[in-house]
Amino acid sequence: MKDKRAEQFARCAVVLAAALDGAGDGGSVVADPEDPFAVPASTGADLFAPSLAGREGIFDQTLSNGLAAIVAFEWPGEEAKRNGRVLPASELLKVIAGHVPATDGIVLIPDKHPLSEAPQADKSSLFQPSRPSPHTRIDVATLQSGIDATQKARHGRGAGTLQRRHIEALLDLDGHESLGVMGEEQQNRI
């Protein structure tokens, strides 16, 4: 049975994945410095779903739950402070990078169980196993950038600048043994 954090990760990640797939509205945004709450102007970069209400909060909830599930699985007890409160996502990224050194901002966490033991999907199913490699790739640098990009919007100080690359790095977390839950959530929604 998956951790409750994995379930929360899946519920939010599926929303972000759907927006990522359906977002033909690209274009990065840069807020007007005179009016930080104005709808940002397009600059040609790849902003993530500017019309998705609450995208920054969804990103934060998904990331926090996914990272907490991974840290609890890999290094039990290190996902929380002494008072039992779960660490924020930025601190969870530091825990991960402290155990598995990053190379160019990327951490590769090796699987504890060989790939041959991973469950195989039914050939008629649209959903294939989410574990195609013997490690989980965590783009620490991009995820930290995503956290930074959400702060203005999450704290009422302006528009967020969440980009597609942040969502893609977030969705990569589903490849970890403690997660691997997006396919099941997608099936449930269908």
Side-chain angles (χ1 to χ4, degrees):
M1 181 171 176
K2 294 286 182 182
D3 183 295
K4 289 287 185 193
R5 291 175 269 226
E7 291 175 22
Q8 285 298 313
F9 170 86
R11 290 179 63 208
C12 295
V14 167
V15 170
L16 294 173
L20 186 65
D21 288 342
D25 55 0
S28 181
V29 293
V30 175
D32 177 356
E34 299 297 319
D35 182 4
F37 296 96
V39 175
S42 177
T43 62
D46 201 9
L47 178 73
F48 169 70
S51 61
L52 177 62
R55 67 187 182 274
E56 291 84 4
I58 298 169
F59 175 85
D60 184 63
Q61 181 178 350
T62 309
L63 182 59
S64 294
N65 280 289
L67 292 175
I70 290 170
V71 171
F73 181 87
E74 294 290 336
W75 308 283
E78 293 190 38
E79 75 280 8
K81 298 176 186 177
R82 288 185 183 187
N83 64 6
R85 294 184 64 127
V86 175
L87 295 170
S90 58
E91 292 298 316
L92 291 166
L93 286 171
K94 289 177 186 175
V95 170
I96 291 169
H99 282 283
V100 183
T103 303
D104 296 326
I106 308 292
V107 168
L108 298 176
I109 297 179
D111 288 346
K112 292 183 178 185
H113 301 96
L115 196 57
S116 61
E117 294 178 20
Q120 297 298 314
D122 177 359
K123 297 287 186 212
S124 64
S125 172
L126 296 174
F127 302 99
Q128 298 302 312
S130 61
R131 312 212 50 239
S133 69
H135 62 268
T136 301
R137 180 182 187 275
I138 300 178
D139 189 338
V140 174
T142 298
L143 292 173
Q144 184 58 56
S145 169
I147 293 168
D148 297 342
T150 66
Q151 295 307 299
K152 281 186 178 180
R154 289 187 52 246
H155 297 288
R157 295 188 311 255
T161 55
L162 200 57
Q163 297 177 7
R164 294 177 61 89
R165 67 188 178 94
H166 299 133
I167 304 305
E168 290 165 352
L170 174 67
L171 298 178
D172 284 347
L173 298 179
D174 195 54
H176 190 268
E177 294 175 80
S178 66
L179 298 174
V181 290
M182 285 182 60
E184 184 178 328
E185 180 66 21
Q186 287 171 328
Q187 285 179 328
N188 290 343
R189 286 176 181 245
I190 289 171

